[in-house]
Amino acid sequence: MPTTLLLRNGVVIDTVPAPAVRANTDVLVEDGRIAAVGPALDAPAGAEVIDATGHIVMPGFVDTHRHTWQSGIRVVLPDSTLPAYLDRVLGQLAPRYRPDDVFAATLAGSLECLDSGITTLVDWSHINLTPAHTDANLAALRTSAIRAVYGHCHGGDGDLAAETRRVHREHFDTPAGTITMAVAALGPEIAGEDRALTEWRTARDLGLPVTVHMGGHGAQSAARGLAFLDRNGLMDHPTTYVHANFYTGEAFERIAASGGTVSVAPAIEAALNIGLAPTGRARAAGIPTALGADTVASGPGDMFGIMRAAYVLERGRPDGAGMGFTTADALRMATIEGAEVAGLADVTGSLTPGKQADLLVLRTDTLGVAAAHDPIAAVVLSADTRNVDTVLVGGRVVKRGGVLQGQDVPSLLASLTDAAGHIAA
């Protein structure tokens, strides 16, 4: 694999300080990092040159909330509700997963991300029924070569703190390359306050961030949950609030003051009737707010569809309250703001020299994108997975010419089909 790449003459979209377009621009990658961005850069000796003429070159997308293991039960529950999801998916189907099923589904879901331009993933994993399930999940993430934050949610019968420490010790005690760890917490709104105390205290002891479903279970539950964190001195811990639909403006101000972040899953929040996406309200409070697919059991898995859902739902708020939300805002949420929420803003999400080279090259010679007048709007409103030509993670080419590299996709699909048949039998 070459250590030096030059993406030549692209239509470059950077995201810092705000999304902006630079025509006829090169991106130089050395030793996995972005070395330079500018016109007519010199190609170092031995560099591989990728002709990006007329194509869009931009940072990879960041998905800040996905239950990746659920690719084995894709659209098993369309046209449904959150209570039905909790009963069918978590109550009935999840217990049927074997470790091999977790591996196949997580690998397939991770490759789905890469194939569609998502280079960074917060994998909210609550399929950890045994240590073997956990180890299979992590093996799949590493096999895929995606950049990921593995959100560990203990799901077995053993001691939560002890198992979380085992995972951290065995898999993350030394630098883990493209995979880092977070605690994916079920409490306090879903699994109670006692569990939440254990989750946050374990996260604090290990120096790990928390990602938690909070704020999406009604106004009273949202208020109680935030009061619990405040009362126990936990709000200052790095926390991402997923489905923050029912927080008030005052609650968002408290989250902003504490350094918290928000992950919105606009398609799922609408489809399962969780609540109105809090996109604009959270961002107005100054909270880094990003996007997630959540579950392909009931919704789309590509960032193009998710950005469009966020854009339409926000601009469709009553009384025109969201009409100030732009396509540039949606793109920022899918890139650098996503990196902020994932705790990786110094690693990915923009084309800043020194960052990891997590990059996309999008074709513009398709009927859906050709002759687009605004490249940023074209990415958000017009492009789809067919436009994803080339994907880099840390300078490694994982997709080229529209084809995933280094993966036996037919064999994986056979394993996924076997897993799906077993799970849903």
Side-chain angles (χ1 to χ4, degrees):
M1 180 180 70
T3 58
T4 304
L5 295 165
L6 182 64
L7 285 70
R8 175 73 82 188
N9 200 39
V11 178
V12 166
I13 300 176
D14 201 358
T15 56
V16 172
V21 179
R22 301 168 63 180
N24 305 316
T25 298
D26 304 339
V27 179
L28 178 63
V29 176
E30 293 182 325
D31 296 324
R33 296 182 180 272
I34 299 167
V37 180
L41 298 178
D42 292 332
E48 177 186 351
V49 178
I50 297 176
D51 184 8
T53 301
H55 289 7
I56 293 171
V57 180
M58 60 173 287
F61 297 129
V62 180
D63 182 332
T64 58
H65 183 71
R66 180 184 295 244
H67 306 301
T68 317
W69 60 271
Q70 293 180 6
S71 66
I73 49 175
R74 185 179 304 276
V75 293
V76 74
L77 198 69
D79 314 318
S80 195
T81 64
L82 179 60
Y85 164 86
L86 295 173
D87 176 62
R88 175 69 172 149
V89 173
L90 300 187
Q92 299 176 27
L93 299 181
R96 300 179 185 175
Y97 268 74
R98 304 162 296 189
D100 285 350
D101 301 331
V102 174
F103 179 87
T106 302
L107 179 56
S110 300
L111 294 183
E112 175 191 4
C113 287
L114 292 174
D115 194 43
S116 65
I118 296 168
T119 55
T120 299
L121 165 69
V122 177
D123 177 27
W124 214 104
S125 177
H126 49 355
I127 193 62
N128 302 296
L129 308 178
T130 68
H133 287 74
T134 300
D135 296 345
N137 191 317
L138 283 162
L141 290 175
R142 293 198 167 98
T143 299
S144 75
I146 200 167
R147 188 177 307 284
V149 178
Y150 167 70
H152 178 76
C153 179
H154 180 63
D157 296 327
D159 183 85
L160 183 155
E163 174 60 9
T164 304
R165 287 188 169 89
R166 179 198 74 83
V167 174
H168 185 261
R169 181 180 64 253
E170 294 186 7
H171 293 280
F172 297 97
D173 195 38
T174 57
T178 58
I179 314 295
T180 56
M181 184 177 175
V183 169
L186 277 181
E189 290 190 61
I190 296 177
E193 295 181 354
D194 288 343
R195 175 170 173 134
L197 282 174
T198 302
E199 290 168 330
W200 259 264
R201 289 170 178 171
T202 302
R204 181 164 286 174
D205 289 346
L206 296 175
L208 300 175
V210 170
T211 173
V212 59
H213 296 85
M214 281 185 66
H217 304 277
Q220 291 184 344
S221 178
R224 283 196 305 270
L226 211 58
F228 162 81
L229 295 185
D230 204 10
R231 186 170 64 251
N232 288 279
L234 302 175
M235 278 199 71
D236 63 341
H237 189 80
T239 300
T240 296
Y241 299 83
V242 182
H243 308 316
N245 310 79
F246 291 97
Y247 286 130
T248 63
E250 185 271 338
F252 279 132
E253 290 175 3
R254 290 164 60 197
I255 291 171
S258 72
T261 62
V262 166
S263 178
V264 179
I268 289 300
E269 288 165 12
L272 296 185
N273 195 33
I274 295 173
L276 292 174
T279 307
R281 296 191 303 116
R283 296 181 89 237
I287 302 172
T289 305
L291 302 172
D294 196 345
T295 173
V296 297
S298 302
D302 67 285
M303 189 57 71
F304 300 103
I306 297 163
M307 286 190 293
R308 282 196 269 278
Y311 178 79
V312 171
L313 289 170
E314 180 61 24
R315 288 180 65 88
R317 284 172 60 191
D319 302 320
M323 289 301 290
F325 188 75
T326 68
T327 52
D329 292 329
L331 186 67
R332 196 175 193 283
M333 291 178 70
T335 52
I336 184 60
E337 213 159 331
E340 293 174 16
V341 171
L344 298 172
D346 60 340
V347 174
T348 190
S350 74
L351 302 183
T352 305
K355 285 191 176 185
Q356 292 288 321
D358 298 348
L359 306 173
L360 304 184
V361 178
L362 302 179
R363 294 178 56 187
T364 58
D365 58 347
T366 62
L367 292 174
V369 174
H373 292 260
D374 182 332
I376 293 171
V379 173
V380 175
L381 300 180
S382 304
D384 58 37
T385 57
R386 292 171 297 179
N387 296 95
V388 181
D389 180 86
T390 301
V391 179
L392 281 69
V393 177
R396 174 183 177 181
V397 178
V398 296
K399 184 177 183 179
R400 186 191 298 268
V403 179
L404 289 170
Q405 304 293 293
Q407 301 288 343
D408 185 352
V409 175
S411 177
L412 173 60
L413 292 177
S415 297
L416 186 66
T417 299
D418 175 74
H422 167 75
I423 294 161

